[in-house]
Amino acid sequence: MDFAFGPQDETFREEAREWLSAHLTGEFAEAAGHGGPGSEHELPQARHAWERELGAAGWIGLGWDRTAGAYGNRTATLTQQVVWAEEYARAGAPGRVGHIGENLLAPTLIAYGDEKQRERFLPPIARGTELWCQGYSEPDAGSDLAGLRTTATRDAAPGGPYRVTGQKIWTSLAQDAHWCFVLARTEHGSRRHHGLSFLLVPMDQLGRIEVRPIRQMSGTAEFNEVFFDGALASADHLVGGEGNGWQVAMGLLALERGVSTLVQQIGFAAELDEVVRLALERGTAAEPVLRDRLVRQWAELRTMRWNALRTLGSTDVPGAPNVAKLLWGGWHQRLGELAMRVRGTASAVGPTAWSADRPYELDALQRLFLFTRADTVYGGSDEIQRNIIAERVLGLPKESR
């Protein structure tokens, strides 16, 4: 199987590389390396400005289907989207604050939204001026999304809005988002995946929406819980029709692990390189068992890349997103454990002396270890992924529920 890129892709790569080199200066250079998983809270102002810089140059929305219109973004083939993502990651550019709108909501609106919705929401996403968060998971409906309890009741007046009431949790970037796409129950008495609707809700509703950060064991707060108390959503911002929310939501989740999987792996490679560097520096790479684990991590990462390229853009690989999540979740968690193994007893000591004003300091590898404990849970736990593969792909008997 040939995984090479063609001449046009390499020309595109050079253009992307030159643009990133010319623009990653000043405050943007200072923000480089900030805002990735485990540090989404860092340097928000500079990263918001960087989002607008990307939008002004047309680098947002490369993967959008343009048959419904152009929204300020460049055209790019699927392989060129991969090239841009690779160069972005290799440049160490700031973590994106607009990726939820660009990579999840925009393709969903193109597939399920109407013309007015696309005209209203896609251009500001492409410009980097409106940010989004995702209102799916709830305290009792995380991996089991069909069990959600948030409701949306339509006002009786003609053209009246929906009033959204309930709680969402693990909501990344909710503290910065202007909008939230919310999956809510619009049919009273409905159960499971029936009677759900997909609504676009403005976040600037004082007294109706409250965002509370969730502090993790790494000491940081990358995501939030969001409380809706009669929050208003326009009837014009119902996507896909009332009661069709499950279809829209599942269509969106299918988009969540595409080109982004390859980008993620570039970040993983950089983390692995740092662990290997440390193992060589400390001499622990000479230990046969530890050396075997380092080689295994490298080989598994290469395999994940080839698998991602094999399934990229394909619709005839059943269960591909679920398999990908199983692979990278466990791999990344083992890397965090390996980093601590390489560090030995030093992994229990912080990078700076304890002080009353900074009582909980961690270095990058310690944060990696703590953050990756959640990798096999968020985004659909390993148990849920295995059930989906077993029941929907392999056709095995369904689990008793």
Side-chain angles (χ1 to χ4, degrees):
M1 189 175 292
D2 183 10
F3 294 120
F5 295 99
Q8 290 183 329
D9 298 327
E10 295 307 328
T11 300
F12 189 84
R13 184 186 302 279
E14 188 62 29
E15 180 185 359
R17 189 174 294 172
E18 289 177 358
W19 188 91
L20 287 165
S21 177
H23 288 77
L24 275 174
T25 59
E27 65 171 340
F28 301 145
E30 294 175 6
H34 294 274
S39 62
E40 287 93 340
H41 61 290
E42 295 178 347
L43 302 178
Q45 291 184 341
R47 289 166 52 223
H48 290 180
W50 174 246
E51 196 74 15
R52 295 189 293 273
E53 187 85 356
L54 290 170
W59 290 112
I60 297 177
L62 300 184
W64 296 354
D65 180 353
R66 299 171 67 89
T67 56
Y71 302 97
N73 53 316
R74 302 167 183 240
T75 58
T77 65
L78 185 60
T79 52
Q80 287 170 345
Q81 295 166 42
V82 174
V83 165
W84 164 251
E86 288 182 337
E87 291 307 314
Y88 190 94
R90 289 195 179 107
R96 295 285 306 282
V97 294
H99 66 91
I100 293 175
E102 177 190 10
N103 298 321
L104 298 184
L105 179 68
T108 302
L109 288 181
I110 290 169
Y112 299 98
D114 58 38
E115 185 176 352
K116 288 184 177 180
Q117 290 168 350
R118 291 191 289 266
E119 289 178 350
R120 164 60 185 87
F121 293 109
L122 295 186
I125 293 174
R127 293 192 301 266
T129 55
E130 280 188 352
L131 306 179
W132 287 80
C133 61
Q134 174 176 313
Y136 274 19
S137 295
E138 299 185 6
D140 295 320
S143 295
D144 183 19
L145 183 59
L148 64 84
R149 298 179 181 178
T150 294
T151 61
T153 304
R154 180 81 179 271
D155 278 7
Y162 288 89
R163 296 182 182 271
V164 181
T165 299
Q167 179 186 358
K168 297 296 182 177
I169 200 166
W170 317 124
T171 311
S172 298
L173 301 174
Q175 73 277 16
D176 298 317
H178 303 101
W179 290 81
C180 181
F181 50 90
V182 177
L183 192 61
R185 198 166 294 281
T186 50
E187 181 183 329
H188 179 71
S190 62
R191 298 184 69 252
R192 304 299 297 166
H193 59 276
H194 301 287
L196 302 176
S197 296
F198 191 100
L199 290 162
L200 310 180
V201 182
M203 292 292 287
D204 185 15
Q205 300 192 48
L206 186 63
R208 298 180 185 273
I209 297 179
E210 181 184 359
V211 178
R212 299 179 190 172
I214 300 174
R215 187 74 56 185
Q216 302 179 83
M217 62 181 176
S218 59
T220 58
E222 283 76 36
F223 36 58
N224 313 267
E225 51 186 344
V226 182
F227 296 86
F228 299 91
D229 185 8
L232 300 178
S234 170
D236 292 335
H237 297 161
L238 169 69
V239 180
E242 188 170 295
N244 296 322
W246 187 255
Q247 178 187 3
V248 179
M250 292 302 99
L252 182 146
L253 290 177
L255 301 166
E256 195 170 12
R257 294 158 192 155
V259 173
S260 59
T261 301
L262 288 163
V263 184
Q264 181 186 54
Q265 291 170 9
I266 295 170
F268 287 172
E271 292 172 342
L272 177 59
D273 286 346
E274 176 60 20
V275 173
V276 171
R277 184 198 64 77
L278 185 63
L280 293 170
E281 181 182 286
R282 297 178 64 88
T284 50
E287 299 176 15
V289 173
L290 191 57
R291 184 170 64 249
D292 178 71
R293 287 192 60 182
L294 290 168
V295 172
R296 184 179 294 273
Q297 286 291 132
W298 177 86
E300 289 176 351
L301 182 59
R302 297 297 296 176
T303 301
M304 286 195 295
R305 173 175 171 76
W306 292 330
N307 183 64
L309 287 168
R310 179 180 66 88
T311 61
L312 188 64
S314 176
T315 58
D316 59 355
V317 185
N322 310 99
V323 171
K325 175 60 169 65
L326 271 178
L327 289 174
W328 72 252
W331 184 93
H332 203 214
Q333 194 171 89
R334 291 191 296 276
L335 180 66
E337 295 166 354
L338 183 57
M340 297 300 97
R341 177 79 177 272
V342 167
R343 290 277 294 276
T345 55
S347 62
V349 181
T352 59
W354 184 93
S355 64
D357 61 328
R358 304 185 74 176
Y360 194 66
E361 290 295 303
L362 300 170
D363 62 28
L365 292 182
Q366 289 170 325
R367 285 196 302 271
L368 170 69
F369 169 69
L370 292 175
F371 185 82
T372 56
R373 306 317 298 164
D375 278 342
T376 52
V377 177
Y378 74 81
S381 68
D382 279 10
E383 292 81 3
I384 293 294
Q385 304 302 334
R386 290 190 175 99
N387 279 348
I388 292 173
I389 294 168
E391 296 173 6
R392 301 182 189 176
V393 179
L394 301 178
L396 297 178
K398 291 189 175 183
E399 181 184 31
S400 298
R401 293 181 174 88

